[in-house]
PDB file of all heavy atoms in Angstrom:
ATOM      1  N   ALA A 223     107.342 100.967  46.563  1.00 70.00           N
ATOM      2  CA  ALA A 223     106.109 101.066  45.767  1.00 70.00           C
ATOM      3  C   ALA A 223     106.181 102.200  44.742  1.00 70.00           C
ATOM      4  O   ALA A 223     105.418 102.222  43.787  1.00 70.00           O
ATOM      5  CB  ALA A 223     104.908 101.296  46.678  1.00 70.00           C
ATOM      6  N   THR A 224     107.080 103.149  44.971  1.00 74.00           N
ATOM      7  CA  THR A 224     107.149 104.304  44.067  1.00 74.00           C
ATOM      8  C   THR A 224     108.574 104.796  43.993  1.00 74.00           C
ATOM      9  O   THR A 224     109.385 104.538  44.882  1.00 74.00           O
ATOM     10  CB  THR A 224     106.236 105.447  44.559  1.00 74.00           C
ATOM     11  OG1 THR A 224     106.326 106.552  43.652  1.00 74.00           O
ATOM     12  CG2 THR A 224     106.669 105.904  45.936  1.00 74.00           C
ATOM     13  N   ARG A 225     108.896 105.490  42.927  1.00 81.00           N
ATOM     14  CA  ARG A 225     110.171 106.177  42.789  1.00 81.00           C
ATOM     15  C   ARG A 225     110.008 107.698  42.778  1.00 81.00           C
ATOM     16  O   ARG A 225     110.892 108.418  42.324  1.00 81.00           O
ATOM     17  CB  ARG A 225     110.895 105.712  41.502  1.00 81.00           C
ATOM     18  CG  ARG A 225     111.259 104.235  41.547  1.00 81.00           C
ATOM     19  CD  ARG A 225     112.198 103.873  40.369  1.00 81.00           C
ATOM     20  NE  ARG A 225     112.596 102.472  40.465  1.00 81.00           N
ATOM     21  CZ  ARG A 225     113.640 102.040  41.182  1.00 81.00           C
ATOM     22  NH1 ARG A 225     114.335 102.887  41.897  1.00 81.00           N
ATOM     23  NH2 ARG A 225     113.974 100.763  41.220  1.00 81.00           N
ATOM     24  N   GLU A 226     108.908 108.122  43.294  1.00 81.00           N
ATOM     25  CA  GLU A 226     108.666 109.600  43.372  1.00 81.00           C
ATOM     26  C   GLU A 226     109.742 110.263  44.225  1.00 81.00           C
ATOM     27  O   GLU A 226     110.250 109.702  45.194  1.00 81.00           O
ATOM     28  CB  GLU A 226     107.274 109.886  43.982  1.00 81.00           C
ATOM     29  CG  GLU A 226     106.128 109.550  43.042  1.00 81.00           C
ATOM     30  CD  GLU A 226     104.815 110.024  43.609  1.00 81.00           C
ATOM     31  OE1 GLU A 226     104.790 111.136  44.250  1.00 81.00           O
ATOM     32  OE2 GLU A 226     103.821 109.324  43.483  1.00 81.00           O
ATOM     33  N   ARG A 227     110.058 111.488  43.865  1.00 85.00           N
ATOM     34  CA  ARG A 227     111.019 112.252  44.657  1.00 85.00           C
ATOM     35  C   ARG A 227     110.431 112.644  45.993  1.00 85.00           C
ATOM     36  O   ARG A 227     109.222 112.729  46.173  1.00 85.00           O
ATOM     37  CB  ARG A 227     111.468 113.485  43.874  1.00 85.00           C
ATOM     38  CG  ARG A 227     112.255 113.156  42.607  1.00 85.00           C
ATOM     39  CD  ARG A 227     112.718 114.420  41.891  1.00 85.00           C
ATOM     40  NE  ARG A 227     113.463 114.141  40.706  1.00 85.00           N
ATOM     41  CZ  ARG A 227     114.778 113.903  40.663  1.00 85.00           C
ATOM     42  NH1 ARG A 227     115.477 113.940  41.812  1.00 85.00           N
ATOM     43  NH2 ARG A 227     115.404 113.609  39.569  1.00 85.00           N
ATOM     44  N   TYR A 228     111.325 112.928  46.948  1.00 87.00           N
ATOM     45  CA  TYR A 228     110.922 113.223  48.306  1.00 87.00           C
ATOM     46  C   TYR A 228     109.916 114.370  48.386  1.00 87.00           C
ATOM     47  O   TYR A 228     108.910 114.258  49.121  1.00 87.00           O
ATOM     48  CB  TYR A 228     112.157 113.511  49.158  1.00 87.00           C
ATOM     49  CG  TYR A 228     111.857 113.785  50.615  1.00 87.00           C
ATOM     50  CD1 TYR A 228     111.259 112.805  51.422  1.00 87.00           C
ATOM     51  CD2 TYR A 228     112.212 114.983  51.216  1.00 87.00           C
ATOM     52  CE1 TYR A 228     111.009 113.041  52.739  1.00 87.00           C
ATOM     53  CE2 TYR A 228     111.973 115.243  52.553  1.00 87.00           C
ATOM     54  CZ  TYR A 228     111.350 114.252  53.312  1.00 87.00           C
ATOM     55  OH  TYR A 228     111.098 114.497  54.645  1.00 87.00           O
ATOM     56  N   PRO A 229     110.102 115.489  47.695  1.00 89.00           N
ATOM     57  CA  PRO A 229     109.083 116.571  47.773  1.00 89.00           C
ATOM     58  C   PRO A 229     107.696 116.107  47.352  1.00 89.00           C
ATOM     59  O   PRO A 229     106.709 116.532  47.955  1.00 89.00           O
ATOM     60  CB  PRO A 229     109.639 117.653  46.832  1.00 89.00           C
ATOM     61  CG  PRO A 229     111.102 117.408  46.816  1.00 89.00           C
ATOM     62  CD  PRO A 229     111.275 115.918  46.872  1.00 89.00           C
ATOM     63  N   ALA A 230     107.635 115.221  46.334  1.00 86.00           N
ATOM     64  CA  ALA A 230     106.328 114.716  45.907  1.00 86.00           C
ATOM     65  C   ALA A 230     105.729 113.833  46.974  1.00 86.00           C
ATOM     66  O   ALA A 230     104.512 113.872  47.207  1.00 86.00           O
ATOM     67  CB  ALA A 230     106.482 113.953  44.595  1.00 86.00           C
ATOM     68  N   LEU A 231     106.555 113.044  47.650  1.00 85.00           N
ATOM     69  CA  LEU A 231     106.046 112.172  48.735  1.00 85.00           C
ATOM     70  C   LEU A 231     105.476 113.029  49.886  1.00 85.00           C
ATOM     71  O   LEU A 231     104.441 112.689  50.440  1.00 85.00           O
ATOM     72  CB  LEU A 231     107.165 111.284  49.241  1.00 85.00           C
ATOM     73  CG  LEU A 231     107.681 110.152  48.371  1.00 85.00           C
ATOM     74  CD1 LEU A 231     108.843 109.472  49.034  1.00 85.00           C
ATOM     75  CD2 LEU A 231     106.563 109.133  48.105  1.00 85.00           C
ATOM     76  N   LEU A 232     106.170 114.102  50.185  1.00 87.00           N
ATOM     77  CA  LEU A 232     105.689 114.971  51.266  1.00 87.00           C
ATOM     78  C   LEU A 232     104.373 115.663  50.909  1.00 87.00           C
ATOM     79  O   LEU A 232     103.540 115.888  51.762  1.00 87.00           O
ATOM     80  CB  LEU A 232     106.755 116.033  51.589  1.00 87.00           C
ATOM     81  CG  LEU A 232     108.030 115.569  52.298  1.00 87.00           C
ATOM     82  CD1 LEU A 232     108.874 116.790  52.661  1.00 87.00           C
ATOM     83  CD2 LEU A 232     107.686 114.758  53.559  1.00 87.00           C
ATOM     84  N   ALA A 233     104.247 115.986  49.633  1.00 89.00           N
ATOM     85  CA  ALA A 233     103.038 116.732  49.211  1.00 89.00           C
ATOM     86  C   ALA A 233     101.809 115.793  49.135  1.00 89.00           C
ATOM     87  O   ALA A 233     100.675 116.292  49.274  1.00 89.00           O
ATOM     88  CB  ALA A 233     103.262 117.380  47.844  1.00 89.00           C
ATOM     89  N   GLU A 234     102.016 114.511  48.899  1.00 88.00           N
ATOM     90  CA  GLU A 234     100.880 113.600  48.686  1.00 88.00           C
ATOM     91  C   GLU A 234      99.925 113.539  49.866  1.00 88.00           C
ATOM     92  O   GLU A 234      98.683 113.582  49.648  1.00 88.00           O
ATOM     93  CB  GLU A 234     101.411 112.214  48.323  1.00 88.00           C
ATOM     94  CG  GLU A 234     100.310 111.192  48.010  1.00 88.00           C
ATOM     95  CD  GLU A 234      99.492 111.529  46.781  1.00 88.00           C
ATOM     96  OE1 GLU A 234      99.946 112.402  45.989  1.00 88.00           O
ATOM     97  OE2 GLU A 234      98.416 110.951  46.631  1.00 88.00           O
ATOM     98  N   PRO A 235     100.389 113.404  51.107  1.00 88.00           N
ATOM     99  CA  PRO A 235      99.412 113.378  52.223  1.00 88.00           C
ATOM    100  C   PRO A 235      98.546 114.643  52.283  1.00 88.00           C
ATOM    101  O   PRO A 235      97.333 114.535  52.586  1.00 88.00           O
ATOM    102  CB  PRO A 235     100.306 113.267  53.457  1.00 88.00           C
ATOM    103  CG  PRO A 235     101.538 112.589  52.990  1.00 88.00           C
ATOM    104  CD  PRO A 235     101.740 113.137  51.598  1.00 88.00           C
ATOM    105  N   LEU A 236      99.103 115.792  51.964  1.00 89.00           N
ATOM    106  CA  LEU A 236      98.325 117.017  51.930  1.00 89.00           C
ATOM    107  C   LEU A 236      97.281 116.961  50.838  1.00 89.00           C
ATOM    108  O   LEU A 236      96.137 117.399  51.007  1.00 89.00           O
ATOM    109  CB  LEU A 236      99.220 118.229  51.746  1.00 89.00           C
ATOM    110  CG  LEU A 236     100.187 118.492  52.897  1.00 89.00           C
ATOM    111  CD1 LEU A 236     101.132 119.654  52.557  1.00 89.00           C
ATOM    112  CD2 LEU A 236      99.432 118.772  54.199  1.00 89.00           C
ATOM    113  N   ARG A 237      97.680 116.432  49.683  1.00 91.00           N
ATOM    114  CA  ARG A 237      96.691 116.266  48.559  1.00 91.00           C
ATOM    115  C   ARG A 237      95.596 115.316  48.960  1.00 91.00           C
ATOM    116  O   ARG A 237      94.418 115.521  48.642  1.00 91.00           O
ATOM    117  CB  ARG A 237      97.410 115.805  47.293  1.00 91.00           C
ATOM    118  CG  ARG A 237      98.247 116.873  46.599  1.00 91.00           C
ATOM    119  CD  ARG A 237      98.602 116.468  45.181  1.00 91.00           C
ATOM    120  NE  ARG A 237      99.517 115.349  45.167  1.00 91.00           N
ATOM    121  CZ  ARG A 237     100.854 115.459  45.092  1.00 91.00           C
ATOM    122  NH1 ARG A 237     101.384 116.697  45.090  1.00 91.00           N
ATOM    123  NH2 ARG A 237     101.645 114.430  45.054  1.00 91.00           N
ATOM    124  N   LEU A 238      95.963 114.235  49.650  1.00 92.00           N
ATOM    125  CA  LEU A 238      94.976 113.267  50.079  1.00 92.00           C
ATOM    126  C   LEU A 238      93.993 113.906  51.087  1.00 92.00           C
ATOM    127  O   LEU A 238      92.792 113.627  51.067  1.00 92.00           O
ATOM    128  CB  LEU A 238      95.650 112.065  50.716  1.00 92.00           C
ATOM    129  CG  LEU A 238      96.360 111.115  49.752  1.00 92.00           C
ATOM    130  CD1 LEU A 238      97.213 110.124  50.498  1.00 92.00           C
ATOM    131  CD2 LEU A 238      95.391 110.411  48.827  1.00 92.00           C
TER     132      LEU A 238
END
Side-chain angles (χ1 to χ4, degrees):
T224 180
R225 294 190 177 275
E226 288 187 38
R227 294 182 180 274
Y228 183 60
L231 289 175
L232 289 185
E234 181 64 16
L236 295 175
R237 286 196 291 267
L238 288 170

